[in-house]
DNA sequence: GTTCTAGAAC
DNA sequence: GTTCTAGAAC
């Protein structure tokens, strides 16, 4: 009797965990963007924070204050918001602290973290947090979608077409190649060594 | 998203 | 034997 009852409670707990597998880590940006110490700049529409695990010397995230989870939730009513996010990113890229640095501005096709976020990242790609092929390809393949293209597509087509999950997987698995020259590295440590030659 | 680590690759 | 990557994480 007692055994039967305790099993039933345990089953219920397991069932509720399965129903809500809320990957707590995927919600981390929501806390970070409310933390005054993390905020680089903000206005009435957006917040800018530094990426917690920067994949280059400079790596920022521009997030809307409006509760938009990701690009799938974006429609043409958001054109001006996305254009504003782009402008704010562009302005920060031209800040005095970024003299002689080149930047990319874009979105991941399939982000892991909740709340729409635009990446502003310097193109050196030199960082101790850059470790895997997936990291590399998420900024150096068409998994990284230029903000200009997103804004244009949304303004003209009214919707954003994103690659399927299967295509994303392929993009992230693409063979390594230097983004600035024809060098084909053997593996990530090899690529990271090579990157310093472009400084 | 990261961390950890088994076993593949060298 | 060491380096590196890929997949589980209850």
């Amino acid at each position: 009797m007692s055994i039967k009852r305790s099993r039933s409670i345990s089953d219920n707990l397991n069932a509720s965990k399965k129903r809500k597998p809320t990957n707590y880590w995927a919600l981390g940006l929501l806390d970070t963007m409310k933390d005054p110490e993390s905020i680089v700049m903000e206005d009435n529409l957006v917040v800018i924070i530094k990426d917690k695990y920067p994949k280059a010397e400079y790596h920022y995230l521009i997030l809307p204050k409006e509760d938009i989870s990701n690009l799938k939730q974006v429609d043409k009513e958001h054109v001006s918001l996305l254009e504003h996010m782009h402008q704010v990113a562009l302005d920060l890229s031209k800040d005095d602290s970024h003299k002689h640095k080149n930047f990319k501005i874009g979105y991941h096709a399939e982000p892991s973290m909740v709340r729409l976020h635009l990446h502003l990242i310097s193109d050196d790609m030199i960082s101790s947090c850059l470790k895997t092929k997936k990291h590399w390809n998420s900024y150096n393949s068409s998994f990284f979608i230029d903000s200009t293209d997103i804004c244009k597509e949304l303004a003209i087509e009214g919707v954003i077409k994103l690659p399927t999950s299967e295509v994303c997987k392929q993009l992230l698995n693409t063979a390594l190649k230097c983004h600035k020259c024809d060098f084909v590295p053997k593996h990530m440590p090899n690529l990271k060594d090579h990157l310093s030659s472009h400084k």
Side-chain angles (χ1 to χ4, degrees), chain A residues 29-43 46-50 60-61 63 65 92:
Chain A
L29 293 178
L30 302 179
D31 287 329
T32 307
M33 66 186 291
K34 286 179 200 157
D35 170 24
E37 298 215 336
S38 300
I39 296 175
V40 173
M41 173 254 141
E42 71 178 308
D43 62 20
V46 304
V47 174
I48 304 181
I49 60 176
K50 287 186 180 179
Y60 304 91
L61 303 179
L63 308 101
K65 290 184 173 178
L92 178 55

Side-chain angles (χ1 to χ4, degrees), chain A residues 14 44 58 85 93 98 108 148 180:
Chain A
N14 287 334
N44 57 324
Y58 299 102
M85 288 168 68
S93 75
H98 302 138
H108 280 162
T148 305
K180 292 190 174 178

